[in-house]
Amino acid sequence: AQSVTQPDIHITVSEGASLELRCNYSYGATPYLFWYVQSPGQGLQLLLKYFSGDTLVQGIKGFEAEFKRSQSSFNLRKPSVHWSDAAEYFCAVGPYSGGGADGLTFGKGTHLIIQP
Amino acid sequence: GAVVSQHPSWVICKSGTSVKIECRSLDFQATTMFWYRQFPKQSLMLMATSNEGSKATYEQGVEKDKFLINHASLTLSTLTVTSAHPEDSSFYICSARDYGLMNTEAFFGQGTRLTVV
C-alpha cells in the first residue's frame, strides 16, 4: 500500500530564512508526487507536482521540490520565506491512471510557523 | 487551471438529519471525482472515487450506506451524509480530473465544513 511520511509536524522558520520540508513516500510504481498548501479553513492550493522528466520541479510562490528516487523523497524548498507562507503543507502521492494522477494519499502535514 | 466548485462552503445540521454536498467541475468534464475527509488538524483521507454513471468505489472503512455518492453527470457529483451524527462533523473536499488532458492532476474544490449538532 502506498504511504506518505512527513516527519516534521511543526517547523518554525524566521522570515527571510530558507525552508525545507521533508517528504518520504512508499509506492510500488512510478509515483506522481504533489505538494499542496492549506490555509486555516481553506481548501488546497497546488504548489507543484512531479510526473516525469526533470527531477527538480519549480512551483508557484518561489517553491521548488526535488524528486530523489533512491531516497524515495520529494522535499519542498524555498530560499527565503515570507510571513504569508505560514500555513499547513501536505505532500501527496497518487497512482497513474488514464494519463494522470487519481485519488491521492496524503501525508499528515507540516505546520509552518514564520517568526518575524 | 480548471475550476471545481463545492456547495455549500459550510453547513450546520441537526443530529439525525441528512445533508447533501455538491461538487461541480465548471469548465471541464470529469468522468471521475474524488471525495476526501479531513478531521481538524489532520490530513485528508480519500473516502471514495465517484464514477459518472456507475457506482462509487469506497475506501476501506468508509460506510457506503452512510455516505451516499451520486455522479449523475460529467460535471456534478454529490455526497449525502445520511443520519448525520456529531462524529461526522468534518471538512469534506472533492476533486475532479479532466480526463481529456494528459499528465494532469485532479483539481480540488474549496471544501465544505460540516458541523452536526
Side-chain angles (χ1 to χ4, degrees), chain A residues 12-17 81-83 113-116:
Chain A
T12 301
V13 179
S14 297
E15 190 170 13
V81 297
H82 187 262
W83 64 267
I113 300 167
I114 306 296
Q115 282 184 335

Side-chain angles (χ1 to χ4, degrees), chain A residues 28-91:
Chain A
T30 301
Y32 285 76
L33 295 158
F34 306 84
W35 275 100
Y36 289 90
V37 61
Q38 184 181 37
S39 297
Q42 301 296 313
L44 298 177
Q45 183 179 23
L46 177 67
L47 289 175
L48 46 76
K49 62 188 178 186
Y50 173 78
F51 281 142
S52 64
D54 192 347
T55 56
L56 184 62
V57 180
Q58 301 297 320
I60 62 171
K61 303 185 178 185
F63 286 94
E64 67 176 25
E66 186 171 13
F67 170 58
K68 293 185 177 180
R69 185 186 298 274
S70 62
Q71 298 178 20
S72 297
S73 69
F74 190 55
N75 294 347
L76 181 72
R77 300 192 293 251
K78 185 170 184 177
S80 176
V81 297
H82 187 262
W83 64 267
S84 60
D85 293 325
E88 193 79 19
Y89 290 79
F90 292 98
C91 179

